Amino acid sequence: MDAQKSLKIAQRRFQNGNYLLSLKKYGQARAEFEVALTLFEKMSSYKEIAEATNNIGMTLLKEGLADQAKGFFQRSYEIKKTHATATRESMFNTLYNLFSISGVMTPDEFESYFLEMKALGEALGGEYLGIVDRERQVYDSIVAQRATDLKKK
């Protein structure tokens, strides 16, 4: 199969996945995203790989599988950072997805992602700053708990 045809098939499967996601058919959506991901990986299409892994994470999150979603969100974010394939808005959105699973993150992971999201939010301004401010409350509580734990030791 030639590269152009593979790309069209992958894009179609990705669109199908988004459609099924909007219908709340998470398992079927994930299957479409996984096929698209396989094809995107064969073509080293990093932007699309990042988006497909993010969307697989979203389907897992919607199914209550935050621990599995975490790896997909992290992979998506790392690809976006490493290959410079994403806009700052897209990177911020993936970080925000990570915050939706903060319960399965270590305090160090949470702090690291919060600081990265804060920097992006400040650069983007507007509504992004509001999101950072909301998440700051959770960040502050984690920092306070960490300080309490250190005092106990």
Side-chain angles (χ1 to χ4, degrees), residues 70-125:
K70 177 184 173 184
F72 286 95
F73 290 145
Q74 288 174 320
R75 181 176 176 210
S76 175
Y77 184 65
E78 290 306 315
I79 290 168
K80 289 175 180 183
K81 278 183 19 179
T82 304
H83 296 283
T85 60
T87 63
R88 291 182 301 178
E89 292 85 357
S90 178
M91 292 177 70
F92 186 94
N93 289 339
T94 298
L95 285 168
Y96 189 65
N97 288 342
L98 278 162
F99 280 97
S100 64
I101 58 163
S102 61
V104 296
M105 275 194 249
T106 67
D108 288 341
E109 288 173 324
F110 187 89
E111 181 175 24
S112 174
Y113 289 131
F114 176 79
L115 294 174
E116 290 183 49
M117 188 173 89
K118 180 178 178 268
L120 279 169
E122 289 171 350
L124 291 166

Side-chain angles (χ1 to χ4, degrees), residues 44-56:
S44 298
S45 299
Y46 293 108
K47 180 177 186 265
E48 290 81 5
I49 292 168
E51 294 304 322
T53 54
N54 181 75
N55 287 12
I56 291 169

Side-chain angles (χ1 to χ4, degrees), residues 96 99 102 110-111 114-115 117-118 129-146:
Y96 189 65
F99 280 97
S102 61
F110 187 89
E111 181 175 24
F114 176 79
L115 294 174
M117 188 173 89
K118 180 178 178 268
L129 281 175
I131 293 168
V132 170
D133 285 341
R134 283 194 310 270
E135 295 300 330
R136 183 183 316 276
Q137 294 171 6
V138 177
Y139 172 74
D140 288 344
S141 70
I142 287 175
V143 169
Q145 183 61 48
R146 186 184 270 171

Side-chain angles (χ1 to χ4, degrees), residues 5-21:
K5 188 173 183 179
S6 291
L7 181 61
K8 285 184 185 241
I9 292 169
Q11 289 170 333
R12 191 172 317 120
R13 298 301 288 264
F14 186 82
Q15 289 171 343
N16 290 347
N18 281 330
Y19 176 69
L20 291 164
L21 185 60

